[in-house]
């Protein structure tokens, strides 16, 4: 069991308070017409980026019963990592309960030889953890493929995504921050350029 590392700092540690905050944020978010295959979601504390995250996760309303597996990628903040690391855990724990790791599909990744297992890379990593309470709130039930991404070739990331892409039962979540500490106008310019490149 991978225990939560940032409950109480990035988001509330008490289940009722956490659930209440997430529902409040989701109530402020709108829904687009087309359900997504992939989401790009920030991973700062909820007080900073929770509303932006809620706008992303609110898009899952119509497909909450369809999604069975979430492929979650986030950058490594705490451990110097080359390549991509999966956890050794069977579950990820949050104040809202536990999420099972999808070992059926991860076995194929390990067989590739360029994906490692590392509990250390996952133990304190917040970029994946902060996404889980939103996913637990929005989806009926799901298994998780959590991947911490370090310094690696973009081709490896593309190959892993291609292998795990699946059908409508699989959701891809990319956990990221577009910019840090820039003045507002500068951040708008940088983030608009990044958004255009993604589109």
């Amino acid at each position: 069991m991978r225990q939560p590392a940032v409950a109480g700092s990035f988001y509330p540690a008490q289940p009722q308070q956490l659930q209440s905050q997430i529902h409040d944020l989701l109530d402020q978010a709108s829904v687009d017409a087309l359900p997504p295959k992939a989401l790009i979601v920030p991973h700062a504390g909820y007080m900073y980026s929770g509303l932006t995250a809620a706008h992303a996760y609110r898009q899952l309303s119509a497909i909450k019963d369809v999604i069975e597996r979430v492929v979650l990628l986030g950058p490594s903040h705490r451990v110097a990592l080359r390549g991509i690391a999966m956890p050794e855990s069977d579950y990820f724990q949050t104040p809202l309960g536990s999420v099972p790791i999808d070992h059926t599909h991860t076995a194929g990744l390990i067989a590739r030889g360029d994906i490692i297992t590392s509990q250390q890379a996952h133990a304190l990593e917040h970029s994946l953890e902060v996404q889980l309470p939103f996913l637990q709130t929005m989806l009926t039930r799901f298994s998780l493929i959590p991947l911490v991404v370090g310094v690696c070739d973009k081709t490896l990331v593309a190959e892993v995504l291609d292998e795990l892409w699946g059908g409508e039962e699989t959701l891809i979540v990319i956990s990221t921050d577009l910019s840090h500490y820039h003045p507002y106008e500068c951040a708008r310019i940088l983030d608009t350029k990044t958004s255009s490149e993604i589109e």
Side-chain angles (χ1 to χ4, degrees):
M1 183 75 72
R2 190 271 188 191
Q3 297 295 329
V6 294
S9 57
F10 278 62
Y11 60 86
Q14 299 302 318
Q16 288 181 327
Q17 186 183 357
L18 174 57
Q19 197 76 82
S20 177
Q21 183 180 19
I22 289 175
H23 282 297
D24 287 346
L25 292 167
L26 290 168
D27 286 344
Q28 299 175 61
S30 58
V31 181
D32 292 332
L34 198 61
K37 171 64 180 179
L39 296 174
I40 300 173
V41 189
H43 55 239
Y46 288 3
M47 67 180 289
Y48 301 110
S49 65
L51 184 56
T52 301
H55 278 286
Y57 285 115
R58 189 80 164 81
Q59 309 314 309
L60 303 179
S61 299
I63 54 174
K64 65 178 184 170
D65 296 324
V66 176
I67 297 169
E68 300 172 0
R69 180 172 60 252
V70 176
V71 179
L72 175 57
L73 292 87
S76 179
H77 288 83
R78 303 282 187 160
V79 173
L81 174 65
R82 290 205 163 275
I84 299 175
M86 297 188 42
E88 297 168 0
S89 312
D90 292 322
Y91 296 89
F92 270 32
Q93 183 78 25
T94 80
L96 301 183
S98 60
V99 179
I101 304 301
D102 185 337
H103 287 297
T104 304
H105 291 86
T106 57
L109 290 177
I110 298 302
R112 290 174 52 97
D114 47 13
I115 309 293
I116 66 166
T117 56
S118 170
Q119 199 64 13
Q120 184 184 11
H122 283 267
L124 299 176
E125 184 51 60
H126 67 273
S127 69
L128 304 184
E129 180 182 331
V130 298
Q131 309 300 342
L132 296 179
F134 274 102
L135 288 164
Q136 288 172 296
T137 300
M138 288 304 301
L139 301 180
T140 304
R141 62 187 168 278
F142 67 98
S143 62
L144 183 69
I145 300 179
L147 303 170
V148 174
V149 181
V151 177
C152 66
D153 190 284
K154 62 184 178 183
T155 305
L156 173 59
V157 178
E159 288 173 358
V160 168
L161 284 175
D162 190 51
E163 186 169 331
L164 297 174
W165 194 256
E168 61 181 8
E169 80 291 338
T170 302
L171 174 72
I172 309 293
V173 177
I174 309 299
S175 179
T176 187
D177 291 326
L178 290 186
S179 57
H180 286 88
Y181 310 119
H182 296 293
Y184 182 71
E185 281 307 316
C186 179
R188 281 191 57 189
I189 292 167
L190 291 171
D191 293 352
T192 299
K193 184 177 187 307
T194 301
S195 294
S196 297
E197 292 292 332
I198 292 167
E199 291 171 10

